[in-house]
Amino acid sequence: MNTELVAGADREQAVTDEVLASFDGTTDPRLREVMQSLVRHLHAFARDIRLTEREWEAAIDFLTRAGHITDDKRQEFILLSDVLGLSMLAVAINEPAVPGATEATVFGPFFVDGAPEIPLGGDLARGAAGTPCYVSGQVRSADGSPLAGVRLDVWGADEDGFYDVQYPGDGFAGRGWLRTAPDGTYRFWTVLPTPYPIPHDGPVGDLLSAAGRGPMRPAHLHFKAAAPGHGPLITHIFVAGDPYLASDAVFGVKDSLIVEAEHHTGGAAPDGTRPQGVWTSMTFDLVLVSDDVS
Ligand code: BEZ
Ligand code: FE
């Protein structure tokens, strides 16, 4: 047996054991469990890859750059969690597995508080560029009963793939919230989503390039639905036929969330309006899980 190697392994394990023991006195049992597991896995990872000091310095530099580029409009740590699949793993761990319920997906970094309320049937594009899109459907509980008065938050990018928070200045476009009608239905106008790259001019973009991965997300529209007595649902609808459905940079696509966008030229929209030129429509029902079931 190579006694030098054994001594090295003992020395490494002694570091891990000492750090684990430093959390033994943590009074919050969940914090103790989380921190000791983190230390065990983090140290095992470093041993597994035989982490060099130069690599650790590079990792610290990466995290420092992620911190410096983060502000109230840019969240590099959410992007990092998303491209590592950690956000979708957290969704998978926490999502109630109720048959028929709408699947959840990644939240992303572009939700903002304070978006305007839109009347049922109103236009939340608010000047965002793109092909008009009429979106409608019903919000139900998993037992089939319609959910009235549910707050639906919706946000999406414009035809160039930008969210309003990425425009210079302030102001809301491509986002808003509305409440479902007494029969649980909803409807609004927005612009047809198009595929777009996640912000990739920072350290997360550098990581994707170094790994030969692309930054693109398939076209989608974000929804957040919150009804009393039901767990909140955070999801998207994805546009059928999008070329990036099989290679979403953040692993958010689920087949049940893919929706056909119907294209129309002229004619009357379901709300009786007669849009000029090409317009589109999508239909999607949201099924929420009651707190009694989950
Ligand atoms: C988004 O869909 O808005 C998004 C999600 C994850 C990372 C970047 C953007
Ligand atoms: Fe998005």
Side-chain angles (χ1 to χ4, degrees), residues 78-79 82 106-110 155 163 196 198-199 217 220 222 236 250:
I78 295 183
L79 291 183
D82 293 342
V106 61
F107 192 41
F110 291 127
W155 64 107
Y163 286 81
Y196 67 83
I198 64 168
R217 295 216 66 206
H220 61 272
H222 296 257
H236 308 351
V250 303

Side-chain angles (χ1 to χ4, degrees), residues 183-207:
D183 62 355
T185 58
Y186 73 88
R187 53 199 175 273
F188 59 85
W189 285 94
T190 184
V191 291
L192 182 67
T194 56
Y196 67 83
I198 64 168
H200 57 113
D201 56 345
V204 170
D206 293 345
L207 173 63

Side-chain angles (χ1 to χ4, degrees), residues 9-218:
D10 285 350
R11 195 174 59 225
E12 291 170 18
Q13 191 56 46
V15 176
T16 304
D17 290 345
E18 190 178 352
V19 181
L20 287 172
S22 77
F23 286 102
D24 279 347
T26 308
T27 46
D28 178 336
R30 178 62 176 165
L31 180 62
R32 185 170 62 245
E33 179 189 6
V34 168
M35 291 313 299
Q36 291 188 328
S37 179
L38 177 67
V39 168
R40 262 194 304 276
H41 288 276
L42 201 57
H43 287 215
F45 162 71
R47 274 195 282 272
D48 183 35
I49 59 161
R50 304 311 302 163
L51 179 68
T52 69
E53 283 166 310
R54 277 182 74 149
E55 286 167 342
W56 183 228
E57 272 170 34
I60 296 282
D61 179 58
F62 177 93
L63 293 172
T64 304
R65 287 191 295 134
H68 284 158
I69 205 171
T70 294
D71 59 21
D72 58 341
K73 291 190 169 171
R74 171 74 178 257
Q75 230 306 349
E76 199 73 1
F77 292 99
I78 295 183
L79 291 183
L80 181 58
S81 162
D82 293 342
V83 302
L84 293 179
L86 192 56
S87 304
M88 282 308 291
L89 180 61
V91 169
I93 291 169
N94 290 285
E95 186 175 8
V98 175
T102 301
E103 292 188 279
T105 189
V106 61
F107 192 41
F110 291 127
F111 175 83
V112 290
D113 284 320
E117 182 176 4
I118 305 293
L120 203 54
D123 183 11
L124 59 81
R126 300 166 59 97
T131 306
C133 185
Y134 185 82
V135 185
S136 59
Q138 187 187 42
V139 182
R140 295 188 293 275
S141 189
D143 67 4
S145 48
L147 292 170
V150 173
R151 176 174 171 144
L152 266 189
D153 278 90
V154 181
W155 64 107
D158 65 18
E159 67 179 358
D160 298 315
F162 291 113
Y163 286 81
D164 52 4
V165 289
Q166 296 172 291
Y167 303 165
D170 293 323
F172 296 108
R175 74 174 74 237
W177 65 273
L178 59 151
R179 288 199 187 275
T180 56
D183 62 355
T185 58
Y186 73 88
R187 53 199 175 273
F188 59 85
W189 285 94
T190 184
V191 291
L192 182 67
T194 56
Y196 67 83
I198 64 168
H200 57 113
D201 56 345
V204 170
D206 293 345
L207 173 63
L208 291 178
S209 304
R213 282 176 51 185
M216 294 301 289
R217 295 216 66 206

